[in-house]
């Protein structure tokens, strides 16, 4: 018999998320067709594994925007030294120093946690790249580097060598975690070399050379490079987006979907988020803080999905105890759905994400 459940609706609610089937949770009535709102969850250390929203670009050239970033609830905040900064050497140097001063503040000064702080560098072909890394790596508050215009695995080799050289000159405090690298795919050549990029590891080891953590799709750059005409249907980008997800998942990486450029149309944003989640993306880029809540509430399981997953996990345990490897799950509207090992794995993935998001899960008597 199913106990009642309550979906997490406030970052101050007490979590009850022990492993099934021993979860004991009381649940109030809920609309299982309504997606769970998880706004604000990412500000708690309990939810540090969630990387649904990547907000950028916070221009390092603007003190006002740097300060404003401290109020965002985005899982990842990308401070930008690249496109949002004018291209002159003076502007690039000024932005780098301004960001360095900003990152020097203590956590007590409300600097976001390390796992939420990312910096997008200038690409490796520019005269600014090495100075960017040298300055940014002075700050242990930075957990992620976003690398634009990654076209091949050798580009990441160059990044890794530069990280190693910079750390040798100016080692930063130990964080116990490798520097996370996000490779931005912006070209036909980059997507052609997806397998090599996704399978890349540093020859110097992750602690010294960084560790690839995600593939990010920069759709506008990709369209400019390939002459693809982007439309609201997204049909013309289905192939490349699917390729990126498959490559990422093959090597244990996150896949981050493209920006929704129509940032004021929340209904369209939600549709695009749901599309990306169906394709297997872990999260999405945001270009405006107004997009963050929709992204974060969409890239988690719905209450209906959590309920189904909990049933599958519980009933599969019952089936295994009876030496059965499959069972029939009652479907809404009648009929039964055959559940076996692959569907159990999907259910366990749903449960894992729900737990990370602080969503309460049903238990069974």
């Amino acid at each position: 018999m199913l106990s009642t459940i309550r979906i997490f609706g406030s970052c101050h609610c007490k979590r009850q998320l022990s492993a099934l089937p021993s979860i004991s949770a009381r649940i109030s009535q809920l609309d299982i067709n309504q997606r769970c709102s998880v706004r604000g969850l990412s500000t708690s250390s309990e939810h540090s594994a969630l990387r649904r929203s990547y907000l950028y670009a916070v221009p390092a050239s603007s003190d006002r925007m740097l300060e404003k970033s401290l109020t965002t609830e985005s899982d990842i905040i990308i401070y930008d030294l690249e496109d949002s900064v004018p291209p002159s050497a003076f502007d690039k140097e000024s932005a780098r120093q301004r960001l360095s001063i900003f990152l020097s503040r203590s956590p007590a000064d409300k600097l976001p946690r390390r796992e939420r702080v990312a910096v997008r560098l200038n690409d490796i072909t520019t005269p600014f790249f090495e100075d960017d890394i040298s300055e940014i790596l002075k700050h242990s508050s930075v957990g992620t580097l976003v690398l634009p215009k990654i076209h091949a695995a050798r580009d990441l080799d160059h990044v890794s060598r530069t990280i190693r050289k910079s750390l040798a000159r100016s080692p930063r405090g130990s964080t116990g975690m490798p520097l996370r690298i996000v490779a931005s795919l912006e070209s036909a050549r980059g997507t052609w070399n997806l397998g090599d990029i996704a399978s890349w590891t540093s020859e110097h080891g992750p602690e010294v050379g960084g560790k690839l953590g995600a593939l990010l799709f920069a759709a506008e750059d990709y369209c400019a490079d390939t002459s693809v005409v982007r439309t609201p249907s997204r049909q013309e980008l289905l192939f490349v987006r699917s390729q990126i997800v498959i490559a990422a998942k093959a090597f244990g990486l996150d896949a981050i979907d493209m920006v929704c450029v129509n940032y004021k149309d929340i209904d369209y944003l939600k549709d695009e988020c749901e599309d990306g989640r169906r394709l297997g993306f872990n999260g999405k880029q945001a270009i405006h803080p107004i997009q963050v809540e929709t992204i974060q509430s969409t890239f988690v399981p719905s209450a209906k999905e959590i309920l189904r997953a909990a049933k599958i996990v519980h009933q599969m345990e019952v089936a295994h105890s009876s030496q059965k490897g499959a069972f029939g799950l009652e479907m809404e509207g009648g009929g039964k759905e055959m559940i076996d090992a692959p569907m159990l794995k999907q259910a366990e993935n749903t449960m894992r994400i729900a737990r990370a998001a602080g969503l309460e899960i049903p238990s069974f008597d």
Side-chain angles (χ1 to χ4, degrees), residues 288-306:
H288 193 283
I290 198 174
Q291 295 180 315
V292 169
E293 182 178 4
T294 298
I295 292 172
Q296 293 189 173
S297 64
T298 306
F299 279 92
V300 291
S302 66
K304 184 176 181 179
E305 290 168 332
I306 296 170

Side-chain angles (χ1 to χ4, degrees), residues 29 44 63 89 104 111 153 157 187 189 212 215 252 286 298 324 337:
Q29 290 184 334
S44 164
D63 287 323
S104 296
L111 191 69
D157 287 334
S187 65
R189 189 153 56 97
L212 186 63
L215 302 181
T298 306
K324 297 177 182 179
E337 182 180 10

